[in-house]
PDB file of all heavy atoms in Angstrom:
ATOM      1  N   LYS A 948     -93.045 -53.218 -77.190  1.00  0.00           N
ATOM      2  CA  LYS A 948     -92.831 -54.560 -77.770  1.00  0.00           C
ATOM      3  C   LYS A 948     -91.432 -55.139 -77.534  1.00  0.00           C
ATOM      4  O   LYS A 948     -91.312 -56.314 -77.225  1.00  0.00           O
ATOM      5  CB  LYS A 948     -93.198 -54.563 -79.253  1.00  0.00           C
ATOM      6  CG  LYS A 948     -94.696 -54.615 -79.467  1.00  0.00           C
ATOM      7  CD  LYS A 948     -95.070 -54.767 -80.918  1.00  0.00           C
ATOM      8  CE  LYS A 948     -96.593 -54.859 -81.045  1.00  0.00           C
ATOM      9  NZ  LYS A 948     -97.013 -55.049 -82.423  1.00  0.00           N
ATOM     10  N   PRO A 949     -90.359 -54.355 -77.650  1.00  0.00           N
ATOM     11  CA  PRO A 949     -89.032 -54.937 -77.375  1.00  0.00           C
ATOM     12  C   PRO A 949     -88.810 -55.297 -75.896  1.00  0.00           C
ATOM     13  O   PRO A 949     -87.914 -56.071 -75.580  1.00  0.00           O
ATOM     14  CB  PRO A 949     -88.050 -53.837 -77.796  1.00  0.00           C
ATOM     15  CG  PRO A 949     -88.821 -52.925 -78.666  1.00  0.00           C
ATOM     16  CD  PRO A 949     -90.241 -53.024 -78.217  1.00  0.00           C
ATOM     17  N   LEU A 950     -89.614 -54.753 -75.003  1.00  0.00           N
ATOM     18  CA  LEU A 950     -89.428 -54.997 -73.573  1.00  0.00           C
ATOM     19  C   LEU A 950     -90.028 -56.316 -73.098  1.00  0.00           C
ATOM     20  O   LEU A 950     -89.627 -56.845 -72.074  1.00  0.00           O
ATOM     21  CB  LEU A 950     -90.085 -53.871 -72.760  1.00  0.00           C
ATOM     22  CG  LEU A 950     -89.550 -52.455 -72.951  1.00  0.00           C
ATOM     23  CD1 LEU A 950     -90.407 -51.477 -72.173  1.00  0.00           C
ATOM     24  CD2 LEU A 950     -88.108 -52.372 -72.503  1.00  0.00           C
ATOM     25  N   VAL A 951     -91.017 -56.838 -73.821  1.00  0.00           N
ATOM     26  CA  VAL A 951     -91.816 -57.957 -73.323  1.00  0.00           C
ATOM     27  C   VAL A 951     -91.445 -59.282 -73.987  1.00  0.00           C
ATOM     28  O   VAL A 951     -90.835 -59.305 -75.054  1.00  0.00           O
ATOM     29  CB  VAL A 951     -93.322 -57.670 -73.509  1.00  0.00           C
ATOM     30  CG1 VAL A 951     -93.749 -56.450 -72.715  1.00  0.00           C
ATOM     31  CG2 VAL A 951     -93.676 -57.489 -74.970  1.00  0.00           C
ATOM     32  N   ASP A 952     -91.845 -60.389 -73.343  1.00  0.00           N
ATOM     33  CA  ASP A 952     -91.619 -61.727 -73.891  1.00  0.00           C
ATOM     34  C   ASP A 952     -92.677 -62.108 -74.921  1.00  0.00           C
ATOM     35  O   ASP A 952     -92.442 -62.950 -75.775  1.00  0.00           O
ATOM     36  CB  ASP A 952     -91.629 -62.766 -72.761  1.00  0.00           C
ATOM     37  CG  ASP A 952     -90.416 -62.646 -71.860  1.00  0.00           C
ATOM     38  OD1 ASP A 952     -89.358 -62.178 -72.339  1.00  0.00           O
ATOM     39  OD2 ASP A 952     -90.516 -63.016 -70.679  1.00  0.00           O
ATOM     40  N   PHE A 953     -93.861 -61.513 -74.821  1.00  0.00           N
ATOM     41  CA  PHE A 953     -94.971 -61.826 -75.722  1.00  0.00           C
ATOM     42  C   PHE A 953     -95.429 -60.567 -76.467  1.00  0.00           C
ATOM     43  O   PHE A 953     -96.476 -60.000 -76.166  1.00  0.00           O
ATOM     44  CB  PHE A 953     -96.146 -62.431 -74.939  1.00  0.00           C
ATOM     45  CG  PHE A 953     -95.793 -63.695 -74.213  1.00  0.00           C
ATOM     46  CD1 PHE A 953     -95.487 -63.666 -72.856  1.00  0.00           C
ATOM     47  CD2 PHE A 953     -95.748 -64.913 -74.881  1.00  0.00           C
ATOM     48  CE1 PHE A 953     -95.147 -64.826 -72.182  1.00  0.00           C
ATOM     49  CE2 PHE A 953     -95.412 -66.075 -74.208  1.00  0.00           C
ATOM     50  CZ  PHE A 953     -95.104 -66.038 -72.861  1.00  0.00           C
ATOM     51  N   PRO A 954     -94.634 -60.109 -77.460  1.00  0.00           N
ATOM     52  CA  PRO A 954     -94.993 -58.861 -78.164  1.00  0.00           C
ATOM     53  C   PRO A 954     -96.309 -58.960 -78.928  1.00  0.00           C
ATOM     54  O   PRO A 954     -96.969 -57.948 -79.162  1.00  0.00           O
ATOM     55  CB  PRO A 954     -93.818 -58.637 -79.110  1.00  0.00           C
ATOM     56  CG  PRO A 954     -93.112 -59.923 -79.207  1.00  0.00           C
ATOM     57  CD  PRO A 954     -93.392 -60.677 -77.943  1.00  0.00           C
ATOM     58  N   GLU A 955     -96.711 -60.179 -79.280  1.00  0.00           N
ATOM     59  CA  GLU A 955     -97.981 -60.334 -80.001  1.00  0.00           C
ATOM     60  C   GLU A 955     -99.189 -60.033 -79.115  1.00  0.00           C
ATOM     61  O   GLU A 955    -100.285 -59.784 -79.621  1.00  0.00           O
ATOM     62  CB  GLU A 955     -98.105 -61.747 -80.610  1.00  0.00           C
ATOM     63  CG  GLU A 955     -98.199 -62.875 -79.603  1.00  0.00           C
ATOM     64  CD  GLU A 955     -96.858 -63.348 -79.035  1.00  0.00           C
ATOM     65  OE1 GLU A 955     -95.808 -62.835 -79.444  1.00  0.00           O
ATOM     66  OE2 GLU A 955     -96.879 -64.244 -78.175  1.00  0.00           O
ATOM     67  N   ASP A 956     -99.000 -60.039 -77.804  1.00  0.00           N
ATOM     68  CA  ASP A 956    -100.097 -59.745 -76.869  1.00  0.00           C
ATOM     69  C   ASP A 956    -100.220 -58.259 -76.545  1.00  0.00           C
ATOM     70  O   ASP A 956    -101.133 -57.852 -75.830  1.00  0.00           O
ATOM     71  CB  ASP A 956     -99.913 -60.522 -75.560  1.00  0.00           C
ATOM     72  CG  ASP A 956    -100.139 -62.023 -75.755  1.00  0.00           C
ATOM     73  OD1 ASP A 956    -100.653 -62.412 -76.815  1.00  0.00           O
ATOM     74  OD2 ASP A 956     -99.784 -62.789 -74.846  1.00  0.00           O
ATOM     75  N   VAL A 957     -99.303 -57.433 -77.041  1.00  0.00           N
ATOM     76  CA  VAL A 957     -99.348 -55.995 -76.769  1.00  0.00           C
ATOM     77  C   VAL A 957    -100.495 -55.380 -77.573  1.00  0.00           C
ATOM     78  O   VAL A 957    -100.602 -55.575 -78.779  1.00  0.00           O
ATOM     79  CB  VAL A 957     -98.014 -55.317 -77.138  1.00  0.00           C
ATOM     80  CG1 VAL A 957     -98.118 -53.805 -77.002  1.00  0.00           C
ATOM     81  CG2 VAL A 957     -96.892 -55.849 -76.254  1.00  0.00           C
ATOM     82  N   ARG A 958    -101.364 -54.649 -76.874  1.00  0.00           N
ATOM     83  CA  ARG A 958    -102.507 -54.003 -77.525  1.00  0.00           C
ATOM     84  C   ARG A 958    -102.682 -52.612 -76.931  1.00  0.00           C
ATOM     85  O   ARG A 958    -102.560 -52.439 -75.726  1.00  0.00           O
ATOM     86  CB  ARG A 958    -103.770 -54.837 -77.294  1.00  0.00           C
ATOM     87  CG  ARG A 958    -104.944 -54.369 -78.118  1.00  0.00           C
ATOM     88  CD  ARG A 958    -106.167 -55.259 -77.916  1.00  0.00           C
ATOM     89  NE  ARG A 958    -106.978 -54.706 -76.835  1.00  0.00           N
ATOM     90  CZ  ARG A 958    -107.314 -55.343 -75.716  1.00  0.00           C
ATOM     91  NH1 ARG A 958    -106.905 -56.559 -75.486  1.00  0.00           N
ATOM     92  NH2 ARG A 958    -108.052 -54.759 -74.803  1.00  0.00           N
ATOM     93  N   VAL A 959    -102.952 -51.643 -77.766  1.00  0.00           N
ATOM     94  CA  VAL A 959    -103.186 -50.274 -77.307  1.00  0.00           C
ATOM     95  C   VAL A 959    -104.556 -49.836 -77.805  1.00  0.00           C
ATOM     96  O   VAL A 959    -104.807 -49.830 -79.009  1.00  0.00           O
ATOM     97  CB  VAL A 959    -102.103 -49.302 -77.818  1.00  0.00           C
ATOM     98  CG1 VAL A 959    -102.385 -47.896 -77.331  1.00  0.00           C
ATOM     99  CG2 VAL A 959    -100.716 -49.759 -77.385  1.00  0.00           C
ATOM    100  N   ASP A 960    -105.443 -49.508 -76.874  1.00  0.00           N
ATOM    101  CA  ASP A 960    -106.763 -48.984 -77.219  1.00  0.00           C
ATOM    102  C   ASP A 960    -106.771 -47.489 -76.955  1.00  0.00           C
ATOM    103  O   ASP A 960    -106.110 -47.006 -76.031  1.00  0.00           O
ATOM    104  CB  ASP A 960    -107.858 -49.660 -76.386  1.00  0.00           C
ATOM    105  CG  ASP A 960    -108.001 -51.144 -76.708  1.00  0.00           C
ATOM    106  OD1 ASP A 960    -107.552 -51.567 -77.790  1.00  0.00           O
ATOM    107  OD2 ASP A 960    -108.562 -51.877 -75.876  1.00  0.00           O
ATOM    108  N   VAL A 961    -107.532 -46.769 -77.745  1.00  0.00           N
ATOM    109  CA  VAL A 961    -107.617 -45.316 -77.600  1.00  0.00           C
ATOM    110  C   VAL A 961    -109.037 -44.941 -77.204  1.00  0.00           C
ATOM    111  O   VAL A 961    -109.996 -45.319 -77.865  1.00  0.00           O
ATOM    112  CB  VAL A 961    -107.246 -44.608 -78.915  1.00  0.00           C
ATOM    113  CG1 VAL A 961    -107.299 -43.098 -78.739  1.00  0.00           C
ATOM    114  CG2 VAL A 961    -105.882 -45.049 -79.391  1.00  0.00           C
ATOM    115  N   VAL A 962    -109.163 -44.207 -76.086  1.00  0.00           N
ATOM    116  CA  VAL A 962    -110.452 -43.691 -75.632  1.00  0.00           C
ATOM    117  C   VAL A 962    -110.333 -42.169 -75.637  1.00  0.00           C
ATOM    118  O   VAL A 962    -109.490 -41.600 -74.952  1.00  0.00           O
ATOM    119  CB  VAL A 962    -110.793 -44.201 -74.208  1.00  0.00           C
ATOM    120  CG1 VAL A 962    -112.118 -43.628 -73.748  1.00  0.00           C
ATOM    121  CG2 VAL A 962    -110.808 -45.717 -74.177  1.00  0.00           C
ATOM    122  N   GLU A 963    -111.189 -41.530 -76.433  1.00  0.00           N
ATOM    123  CA  GLU A 963    -111.075 -40.087 -76.610  1.00  0.00           C
ATOM    124  C   GLU A 963    -112.387 -39.411 -76.229  1.00  0.00           C
ATOM    125  O   GLU A 963    -113.459 -39.884 -76.580  1.00  0.00           O
ATOM    126  CB  GLU A 963    -110.736 -39.796 -78.073  1.00  0.00           C
ATOM    127  CG  GLU A 963    -110.289 -38.396 -78.324  1.00  0.00           C
ATOM    128  CD  GLU A 963    -109.674 -38.238 -79.707  1.00  0.00           C
ATOM    129  OE1 GLU A 963    -109.328 -39.246 -80.348  1.00  0.00           O
ATOM    130  OE2 GLU A 963    -109.543 -37.088 -80.136  1.00  0.00           O
ATOM    131  N   ASP A 964    -112.275 -38.323 -75.470  1.00  0.00           N
ATOM    132  CA  ASP A 964    -113.451 -37.502 -75.195  1.00  0.00           C
ATOM    133  C   ASP A 964    -113.099 -36.036 -75.416  1.00  0.00           C
ATOM    134  O   ASP A 964    -112.088 -35.737 -76.036  1.00  0.00           O
ATOM    135  CB  ASP A 964    -114.045 -37.783 -73.804  1.00  0.00           C
ATOM    136  CG  ASP A 964    -113.092 -37.491 -72.670  1.00  0.00           C
ATOM    137  OD1 ASP A 964    -112.196 -36.643 -72.842  1.00  0.00           O
ATOM    138  OD2 ASP A 964    -113.244 -38.097 -71.595  1.00  0.00           O
ATOM    139  N   ASP A 965    -113.912 -35.127 -74.915  1.00  0.00           N
ATOM    140  CA  ASP A 965    -113.754 -33.700 -75.235  1.00  0.00           C
ATOM    141  C   ASP A 965    -112.387 -33.126 -74.883  1.00  0.00           C
ATOM    142  O   ASP A 965    -111.791 -32.398 -75.667  1.00  0.00           O
ATOM    143  CB  ASP A 965    -114.832 -32.877 -74.520  1.00  0.00           C
ATOM    144  CG  ASP A 965    -116.219 -33.221 -75.034  1.00  0.00           C
ATOM    145  OD1 ASP A 965    -116.316 -33.723 -76.173  1.00  0.00           O
ATOM    146  OD2 ASP A 965    -117.195 -32.994 -74.303  1.00  0.00           O
ATOM    147  N   SER A 966    -111.897 -33.433 -73.692  1.00  0.00           N
ATOM    148  CA  SER A 966    -110.689 -32.754 -73.227  1.00  0.00           C
ATOM    149  C   SER A 966    -109.488 -33.667 -73.029  1.00  0.00           C
ATOM    150  O   SER A 966    -108.411 -33.203 -72.664  1.00  0.00           O
ATOM    151  CB  SER A 966    -110.981 -32.041 -71.904  1.00  0.00           C
ATOM    152  OG  SER A 966    -111.372 -32.998 -70.943  1.00  0.00           O
ATOM    153  N   ARG A 967    -109.634 -34.978 -73.261  1.00  0.00           N
ATOM    154  CA  ARG A 967    -108.515 -35.870 -73.006  1.00  0.00           C
ATOM    155  C   ARG A 967    -108.514 -37.088 -73.920  1.00  0.00           C
ATOM    156  O   ARG A 967    -109.552 -37.487 -74.430  1.00  0.00           O
ATOM    157  CB  ARG A 967    -108.479 -36.310 -71.555  1.00  0.00           C
ATOM    158  CG  ARG A 967    -109.663 -37.126 -71.111  1.00  0.00           C
ATOM    159  CD  ARG A 967    -109.684 -37.281 -69.615  1.00  0.00           C
ATOM    160  NE  ARG A 967    -109.615 -38.678 -69.221  1.00  0.00           N
ATOM    161  CZ  ARG A 967    -109.326 -39.096 -68.017  1.00  0.00           C
ATOM    162  NH1 ARG A 967    -109.048 -38.229 -67.067  1.00  0.00           N
ATOM    163  NH2 ARG A 967    -109.285 -40.370 -67.735  1.00  0.00           N
ATOM    164  N   VAL A 968    -107.332 -37.654 -74.082  1.00  0.00           N
ATOM    165  CA  VAL A 968    -107.148 -38.889 -74.840  1.00  0.00           C
ATOM    166  C   VAL A 968    -106.471 -39.876 -73.901  1.00  0.00           C
ATOM    167  O   VAL A 968    -105.430 -39.571 -73.321  1.00  0.00           O
ATOM    168  CB  VAL A 968    -106.261 -38.668 -76.085  1.00  0.00           C
ATOM    169  CG1 VAL A 968    -106.095 -39.969 -76.848  1.00  0.00           C
ATOM    170  CG2 VAL A 968    -106.838 -37.590 -76.974  1.00  0.00           C
ATOM    171  N   THR A 969    -107.072 -41.048 -73.732  1.00  0.00           N
ATOM    172  CA  THR A 969    -106.503 -42.073 -72.864  1.00  0.00           C
ATOM    173  C   THR A 969    -106.047 -43.245 -73.729  1.00  0.00           C
ATOM    174  O   THR A 969    -106.834 -43.799 -74.495  1.00  0.00           O
ATOM    175  CB  THR A 969    -107.537 -42.566 -71.831  1.00  0.00           C
ATOM    176  OG1 THR A 969    -108.000 -41.448 -71.079  1.00  0.00           O
ATOM    177  CG2 THR A 969    -106.925 -43.589 -70.893  1.00  0.00           C
ATOM    178  N   TYR A 970    -104.774 -43.587 -73.606  1.00  0.00           N
ATOM    179  CA  TYR A 970    -104.236 -44.758 -74.292  1.00  0.00           C
ATOM    180  C   TYR A 970    -104.168 -45.879 -73.258  1.00  0.00           C
ATOM    181  O   TYR A 970    -103.518 -45.742 -72.231  1.00  0.00           O
ATOM    182  CB  TYR A 970    -102.848 -44.457 -74.854  1.00  0.00           C
ATOM    183  CG  TYR A 970    -102.894 -43.427 -75.964  1.00  0.00           C
ATOM    184  CD1 TYR A 970    -102.708 -42.085 -75.695  1.00  0.00           C
ATOM    185  CD2 TYR A 970    -103.157 -43.810 -77.272  1.00  0.00           C
ATOM    186  CE1 TYR A 970    -102.774 -41.139 -76.696  1.00  0.00           C
ATOM    187  CE2 TYR A 970    -103.233 -42.868 -78.284  1.00  0.00           C
ATOM    188  CZ  TYR A 970    -103.038 -41.537 -77.988  1.00  0.00           C
ATOM    189  OH  TYR A 970    -103.121 -40.602 -78.983  1.00  0.00           O
ATOM    190  N   GLN A 971    -104.875 -46.961 -73.543  1.00  0.00           N
ATOM    191  CA  GLN A 971    -104.909 -48.098 -72.623  1.00  0.00           C
ATOM    192  C   GLN A 971    -103.988 -49.175 -73.177  1.00  0.00           C
ATOM    193  O   GLN A 971    -104.257 -49.743 -74.234  1.00  0.00           O
ATOM    194  CB  GLN A 971    -106.332 -48.619 -72.477  1.00  0.00           C
ATOM    195  CG  GLN A 971    -107.261 -47.604 -71.855  1.00  0.00           C
ATOM    196  CD  GLN A 971    -108.706 -48.046 -71.865  1.00  0.00           C
ATOM    197  OE1 GLN A 971    -109.131 -48.786 -72.746  1.00  0.00           O
ATOM    198  NE2 GLN A 971    -109.462 -47.594 -70.885  1.00  0.00           N
ATOM    199  N   LEU A 972    -102.909 -49.444 -72.458  1.00  0.00           N
ATOM    200  CA  LEU A 972    -101.914 -50.425 -72.872  1.00  0.00           C
ATOM    201  C   LEU A 972    -102.204 -51.752 -72.181  1.00  0.00           C
ATOM    202  O   LEU A 972    -102.311 -51.802 -70.953  1.00  0.00           O
ATOM    203  CB  LEU A 972    -100.512 -49.929 -72.502  1.00  0.00           C
ATOM    204  CG  LEU A 972     -99.361 -50.916 -72.669  1.00  0.00           C
ATOM    205  CD1 LEU A 972     -99.191 -51.303 -74.128  1.00  0.00           C
ATOM    206  CD2 LEU A 972     -98.080 -50.324 -72.121  1.00  0.00           C
ATOM    207  N   PHE A 973    -102.352 -52.800 -72.983  1.00  0.00           N
ATOM    208  CA  PHE A 973    -102.591 -54.135 -72.441  1.00  0.00           C
ATOM    209  C   PHE A 973    -101.440 -55.036 -72.863  1.00  0.00           C
ATOM    210  O   PHE A 973    -101.039 -55.042 -74.026  1.00  0.00           O
ATOM    211  CB  PHE A 973    -103.909 -54.712 -72.979  1.00  0.00           C
ATOM    212  CG  PHE A 973    -105.111 -53.917 -72.561  1.00  0.00           C
ATOM    213  CD1 PHE A 973    -105.658 -52.968 -73.410  1.00  0.00           C
ATOM    214  CD2 PHE A 973    -105.691 -54.106 -71.324  1.00  0.00           C
ATOM    215  CE1 PHE A 973    -106.761 -52.225 -73.036  1.00  0.00           C
ATOM    216  CE2 PHE A 973    -106.803 -53.373 -70.934  1.00  0.00           C
ATOM    217  CZ  PHE A 973    -107.334 -52.428 -71.798  1.00  0.00           C
ATOM    218  N   VAL A 974    -100.894 -55.790 -71.888  1.00  0.00           N
ATOM    219  CA  VAL A 974     -99.817 -56.732 -72.158  1.00  0.00           C
ATOM    220  C   VAL A 974    -100.156 -58.065 -71.499  1.00  0.00           C
ATOM    221  O   VAL A 974    -101.067 -58.151 -70.679  1.00  0.00           O
ATOM    222  CB  VAL A 974     -98.452 -56.223 -71.626  1.00  0.00           C
ATOM    223  CG1 VAL A 974     -98.033 -54.955 -72.347  1.00  0.00           C
ATOM    224  CG2 VAL A 974     -98.475 -55.990 -70.135  1.00  0.00           C
ATOM    225  N   ASN A 975     -99.394 -59.095 -71.837  1.00  0.00           N
ATOM    226  CA  ASN A 975     -99.568 -60.403 -71.214  1.00  0.00           C
ATOM    227  C   ASN A 975     -99.313 -60.275 -69.710  1.00  0.00           C
ATOM    228  O   ASN A 975     -98.467 -59.490 -69.281  1.00  0.00           O
ATOM    229  CB  ASN A 975     -98.575 -61.388 -71.842  1.00  0.00           C
ATOM    230  CG  ASN A 975     -98.820 -62.817 -71.431  1.00  0.00           C
ATOM    231  OD1 ASN A 975     -98.733 -63.148 -70.253  1.00  0.00           O
ATOM    232  ND2 ASN A 975     -99.122 -63.652 -72.399  1.00  0.00           N
TER     233      ASN A 975
END
Side-chain angles (χ1 to χ4, degrees):
K948 282 186 178 182
L950 298 175
V951 298
D952 290 333
F953 301 99
E955 66 278 358
D956 290 348
V957 174
R958 190 177 92 238
V959 180
D960 294 340
V961 182
V962 179
E963 193 167 344
D964 61 26
D965 295 337
S966 61
R967 64 191 240 164
V968 180
T969 303
Y970 293 94
Q971 296 173 330
L972 171 63
F973 297 97
V974 296
N975 189 298

